[in-house]
Amino acid sequence: MRKNKQATIIDVASEAGVSIATVSNVINRRKVPMSPETIRKVEEAVVRLGYRRNVMATNLSRRRSNELGLILPHFGGYYGRFAEKLEQKFHSYGYHLSVFSAAGMDPEVEERHIEHLLQRRVDGLVSHGLAISVHSTQQLVGEGTPLVFFNGWGWPGDITKVAVNLDFAKASSQAVQYFLAHGCRAVFYAGRRKGMGANEQRIEGFLAGLGDRAESTVHALLDAGELGVAGTLDEALRVSGDLRPIGIYTFNDALALELIAECHERGIRVPDEVQIIGMDNEHFAKASFPSITSFEMPVELQTSLVAAFLMRQMGEELDEAGTLLLDSYLAQMKGHELLIDMDMVVRNSTQN
Amino acid sequence: MRKNKQATIIDVASEAGVSIATVSNVINRRKVPMSPETIRKVEEAVVRLGYRRNVMATNLSRRRSNELGLILPHFGGYYGRFAEKLEQKFHSYGYHLSVFSAAGMDPEVEERHIEHLLQRRVDGLVSHGLAISVHSTQQLVGEGTPLVFFNGWGWPGDITKVAVNLDFAKASSQAVQYFLAHGCRAVFYAGRRKGMGANEQRIEGFLAGLGDRAESTVHALLDAGELGVAGTLDEALRVSGDLRPIGIYTFNDALALELIAECHERGIRVPDEVQIIGMDNEHFAKASFPSITSFEMPVELQTSLVAAFLMRQMGEELDEAGTLLLDSYLAQMKGHELLIDMDMVVRNSTQN
DNA sequence: CTGTTAGCGCTTTCAC
DNA sequence: GTGAAAGCGCTAACAG
């Protein structure tokens, strides 16, 4: 072992009195037959020298990076949890995960990340449906990089194999129906246009939830981004006249919290006059006053599915749990989109 | 270019009609003189072939991974933002960042991550002060891996070069003094023992903030982890008798929010009867009702400092901004700990 | 200015 | 069972 440097496989080989090929064999627990004696000698040498295999050399030699990439809109809230879970899943499949933030969808930043990932020769990629451009996607797919989206809608099937999406539409339907079933005489959706795909899904579901009561029920779609929180509440109150209570379904818990604060400010009682349902089930949803009825993000399930799909696309052997999971969900795919149900968590911002 | 494979430097060389050394030279913009003609030929070949340098080979050859590691308690809130910013900073220095979550300080998980980072031959590491064990730290330092902590207190100087810490103690002092200056007749700190180092800093500052009024002012340290939110409020109310208003300084905004909800529940007015100051300035602090007075986390500054310190420790040339930053802060280090001031954001959970 | 060549540390045939 | 040797793709002296 050269001074002051990490021991290499060569050092281990000479220390153990065997060839480097043999060392490699025992380290990788290859299926080739080896005498227990040799194994012992090598393992001892490894410990004695504090040998640690060099991942760069291994990967270069194997011609695969054993690395996967994840591109997120940012690292906050749900996305952070998503990254954390996914990292764990991939690790259990033997892969390293590199996470990037698209930094507010800046196309230049995104471009840079893709290039970087390609240079690292990532074996696969998962991206939020809105975090990368069509151009980048085509490039990736063209290079043959396995890719799975999560929360991506409207990707043409020819460039996308699979998107694992939360079923915001269904959740939204459920929210409306909950309002209707609990006395709301007017219902609203307070969205954020910048939510884009996710926003559209919610609108679609909101409308679907009204169903044949759409005609007879006062309702409206509000853009909180444009109107502001106060403006959104104003508008909902104006449109509903003296119909009470009203139900407001919001893009996410953050907006729900702001609306509730606005109600407090004006002395409007929640949920007596205004009922509110949020989305994301953030930590504060439970702790605010009143606590916020919301939808839980099934991060565990979603990351499991994302991982399983990517592994399959990469031709990796799935463990039993993964196979079962995949099989059970493969059935309910709509085209290349897979939808995951979300559970509503009823709290005190709605009547119950 | 071999079929179906990424072009290599050899392909580019033959395409451009030069040697691979020359290609390497122009790609790396080395300082060796090269004819413009050669450069052009190579660059054209690169484009034509869609050549992309293989990071694994580059790093193996250079004997450095160009990769840095970050170990966090988890990916939520402040930590997520921290990771995102730090990634950007390091990227601008030409380094890749791999982020890991210690997953609730599980020593086994931590061990695994360290081992993994070492196998990847990371050029340096930054870790939250509580996310890695003394043992791991010694190991890393022993191997000669540059290491900088953030929010780490009480690390012996011989194994730690530098810790870039938020000055929770000073902020806590400030919180108490604010309470005292705004009519509070009893003050409390509601902490979380599991916050450990960060918790101790707050306690220290809280006490210091009382100063010579400690004797004459009713105060107490409460452990919300043990008492629960309701219990914490009970205790504060009990201890303060009919002194009003009281001030409660909380470990973080999440706890502040819970306390506020508890007050609402009981019809206790905030801030008239109970004033509250949180910590972290989470998004919801602004949106809750009443909005929460809190301390802003200077993530931008902290990550800049962390990056600058690590770069210096790695013998990397700092840019001008980095040098200036370092110089200005080097002066105010206490031993190997550097303290960053935090700004209080006054909102409606306190009198003003 | 450009090319030759010896590695970087490990994997993987293919003989022995 | 074990080892010799040919790479993996690139960098960095060192010649020329």
Side-chain angles (χ1 to χ4, degrees):
Chain A
M1 168 172 181
R2 270 80 95 244
K3 68 168 165 53
N4 191 28
K5 286 200 61 256
Q6 268 286 350
T8 73
I9 200 174
I10 300 185
D11 303 316
V12 176
S14 75
E15 173 82 14
V18 300
S19 77
I20 63 169
T22 300
V23 174
S24 177
N25 280 338
V26 358
I27 285 175
N28 294 299
R29 318 206 175 307
R30 277 241 200 59
K31 63 287 156 195
V32 301
M34 294 169 292
S35 81
E37 170 64 5
T38 306
I39 297 184
R40 192 188 50 72
K41 281 193 301 186
V42 171
E43 286 176 340
E44 281 178 12
V46 164
V47 173
R48 212 170 315 130
L49 264 37
Y51 170 74
R52 196 170 281 126
R53 161 233 247 111
N54 183 323
V55 172
M56 294 180 284
T58 301
N59 292 343
L60 178 60
S61 184
R62 288 201 173 133
R63 248 159 312 170
R64 58 208 300 289
S65 64
N66 237 278
E67 183 169 330
L68 270 15
L70 171 63
I71 302 186
L72 257 26
H74 57 83
F75 282 18
Y78 161 62
Y79 296 125
R81 284 179 276 152
F82 189 94
E84 191 167 358
K85 280 276 182 225
L86 196 62
E87 195 275 328
Q88 290 165 9
K89 300 269 179 289
F90 283 150
H91 182 99
S92 76
Y93 281 111
Y95 285 87
H96 177 68
L97 180 68
S98 282
V99 189
F100 293 91
S101 153
M105 319 292 177
D106 179 333
E108 199 172 319
V109 171
E110 185 237 291
E111 202 72 31
R112 221 188 56 196
H113 287 158
I114 300 285
E115 181 60 26
H116 185 173
L117 288 164
L118 255 18
Q119 290 194 181
R120 297 188 73 86
R121 301 289 193 275
V122 289
D123 298 326
L125 199 58
V126 2
S127 172
H128 180 271
L130 298 166
I132 68 176
S133 66
V134 177
H135 174 254
S136 297
T137 307
Q138 284 172 326
Q139 185 182 356
L140 286 165
V141 175
E143 312 255 356
T145 308
L147 168 68
V148 1
F149 280 114
F150 74 96
N151 296 358
W153 289 271
W155 282 93
D158 53 320
I159 61 174
T160 315
K161 281 285 210 333
V162 48
V164 179
N165 299 336
L166 296 184
D167 199 344
F168 289 121
K170 187 188 281 183
S172 304
S173 275
Q174 212 179 318
V176 176
Q177 286 168 359
Y178 189 93
F179 281 146
L180 262 22
H182 290 76
C184 289
R185 304 184 52 206
V187 293
F188 301 89
Y189 167 62
R192 293 226 195 268
R193 184 155 308 149
K194 62 157 197 145
M196 298 175 61
N199 198 43
E200 288 163 18
Q201 292 295 311
R202 287 167 171 80
I203 291 176
E204 184 186 315
F206 179 85
L207 265 14
L210 282 168
D212 51 16
R213 294 175 63 177
E215 299 270 308
S216 58
T217 308
V218 173
H219 68 275
L221 302 172
L222 278 14
D223 184 347
E226 185 183 307
L227 300 168
V229 175
T232 301
L233 187 56
D234 283 339
E235 189 64 9
L237 260 21
R238 190 187 65 71
V239 173
S240 52
D242 40 37
L243 261 24
R244 290 290 180 283
I246 66 173
I248 307 181
Y249 167 57
T250 63
F251 182 75
N252 59 18
D253 287 346
L255 181 52
L257 186 66
E258 292 185 64
L259 269 173
I260 289 177
E262 188 66 27
C263 287
H264 270 128
E265 204 86 60
R266 305 188 189 185
I268 295 172
R269 283 163 299 129
V270 178
D272 309 285
E273 300 170 81
V274 174
Q275 294 189 38
I276 291 182
I277 296 181
M279 169 68 74
D280 286 359
N281 198 21
E282 302 257 19
H283 279 110
F284 63 76
K286 186 167 75 240
S288 79
F289 183 85
S291 55
I292 304 172
T293 293
S294 187
F295 288 90
E296 172 69 18
M297 308 296 261
V299 177
E300 174 65 31
L301 176 59
Q302 194 178 23
T303 51
S304 294
L305 282 166
V306 165
F309 270 108
L310 190 59
M311 286 304 127
R312 198 194 50 166
Q313 213 177 118
M314 290 169 51
E316 196 80 36
E317 190 87 22
L318 290 179
D319 54 28
E320 203 171 341
T323 311
L324 252 71
L325 190 67
L326 222 50
D327 286 348
S328 65
Y329 274 87
L330 235 28
Q332 52 188 277
M333 285 191 66
K334 289 172 54 178
H336 59 280
E337 291 183 12
L338 187 156
L339 292 173
I340 300 178
D341 285 343
M342 307 174 72
D343 288 326
M344 185 163 149
V345 182
V346 178
R347 298 209 181 85
N348 299 321
S349 65
T350 49
Q351 213 81 57
N352 55 49
Chain B
M1 169 174 182
R2 271 79 97 244
K3 69 169 164 51
N4 189 29
K5 287 202 60 255
Q6 268 286 349
T8 72
I9 201 174
I10 300 184
D11 303 317
V12 176
S14 76
E15 173 82 14
V18 299
S19 77
I20 64 168
T22 301
V23 174
S24 178
N25 280 338
V26 355
I27 285 176
N28 294 300
R29 319 207 172 304
R30 280 246 195 56
K31 62 285 154 196
V32 301
M34 294 170 291
S35 80
E37 170 64 4
T38 307
I39 296 183
R40 192 189 49 71
K41 279 193 303 185
V42 171
E43 286 177 341
E44 281 178 11
V46 164
V47 174
R48 213 169 315 128
L49 264 38
Y51 170 74
R52 196 169 282 128
R53 168 235 239 107
N54 183 323
V55 172
M56 295 181 283
T58 301
N59 291 344
L60 178 60
S61 184
R62 287 198 174 138
R63 246 162 310 175
R64 58 208 297 288
S65 63
N66 239 278
E67 182 168 329
L68 270 15
L70 170 63
I71 301 187
L72 258 26
H74 57 82
F75 282 18
Y78 160 62
Y79 295 124
R81 284 179 276 152
F82 190 94
E84 191 166 357
K85 280 276 183 225
L86 196 62
E87 196 276 328
Q88 290 165 10
K89 299 271 178 290
F90 283 149
H91 183 98
S92 76
Y93 280 111
Y95 285 87
H96 177 68
L97 180 67
S98 282
V99 189
F100 293 91
S101 153
M105 320 291 179
D106 179 333
E108 199 172 320
V109 171
E110 184 236 293
E111 201 73 29
R112 222 187 54 196
H113 287 157
I114 300 286
E115 181 59 27
H116 185 174
L117 288 164
L118 255 19
Q119 290 194 183
R120 298 188 73 86
R121 300 291 193 274
V122 288
D123 298 327
L125 199 58
V126 2
S127 172
H128 181 270
L130 298 167
I132 68 176
S133 66
V134 176
H135 175 255
S136 297
T137 308
Q138 285 173 325
Q139 184 182 356
L140 286 165
V141 174
E143 313 255 354
T145 308
L147 167 68
V148 1
F149 280 114
F150 74 97
N151 296 358
W153 289 271
W155 281 95
D158 54 320
I159 60 175
T160 316
K161 282 287 211 331
V162 50
V164 179
N165 299 335
L166 296 184
D167 199 343
F168 288 121
K170 187 189 280 184
S172 304
S173 273
Q174 212 178 319
V176 175
Q177 286 168 0
Y178 189 93
F179 281 147
L180 262 21
H182 289 76
C184 288
R185 305 184 50 206
V187 293
F188 300 90
Y189 167 61
R192 293 226 194 267
R193 184 155 308 149
K194 63 159 197 141
M196 297 174 62
N199 198 43
E200 288 163 18
Q201 291 296 309
R202 287 165 170 82
I203 291 176
E204 184 186 314
F206 179 85
L207 265 14
L210 282 168
D212 51 15
R213 294 175 63 178
E215 298 270 309
S216 58
T217 308
V218 172
H219 68 275
L221 303 172
L222 278 13
D223 183 347
E226 186 183 307
L227 300 167
V229 176
T232 300
L233 186 56
D234 282 339
E235 189 63 9
L237 261 21
R238 189 187 67 74
V239 172
S240 53
D242 41 36
L243 263 24
R244 290 290 180 281
I246 66 172
I248 306 180
Y249 167 57
T250 62
F251 181 75
N252 60 17
D253 287 346
L255 181 52
L257 187 66
E258 292 185 64
L259 268 173
I260 289 177
E262 187 66 26
C263 287
H264 271 127
E265 204 85 59
R266 305 188 188 186
I268 296 172
R269 283 164 298 130
V270 177
D272 310 284
E273 300 170 81
V274 174
Q275 295 189 38
I276 291 182
I277 298 181
M279 169 67 75
D280 286 358
N281 198 21
E282 302 258 18
H283 280 109
F284 62 76
K286 187 167 74 244
S288 79
F289 183 85
S291 54
I292 304 171
T293 294
S294 188
F295 288 90
E296 172 70 17
M297 308 296 261
V299 177
E300 174 65 30
L301 176 58
Q302 194 178 24
T303 51
S304 294
L305 282 166
V306 165
F309 271 107
L310 190 61
M311 286 303 129
R312 198 194 49 165
Q313 213 176 118
M314 290 168 50
E316 196 79 39
E317 189 89 21
L318 290 179
D319 54 29
E320 203 170 342
T323 312
L324 252 70
L325 190 68
L326 222 51
D327 287 347
S328 66
Y329 275 87
L330 236 28
Q332 53 188 276
M333 284 190 67
K334 289 172 53 179
H336 59 279
E337 290 182 13
L338 187 157
L339 292 172
I340 300 178
D341 284 343
M342 307 175 70
D343 289 325
M344 185 164 148
V345 183
V346 178
R347 298 209 180 85
N348 300 322
S349 64
T350 49
Q351 213 80 58
N352 56 47

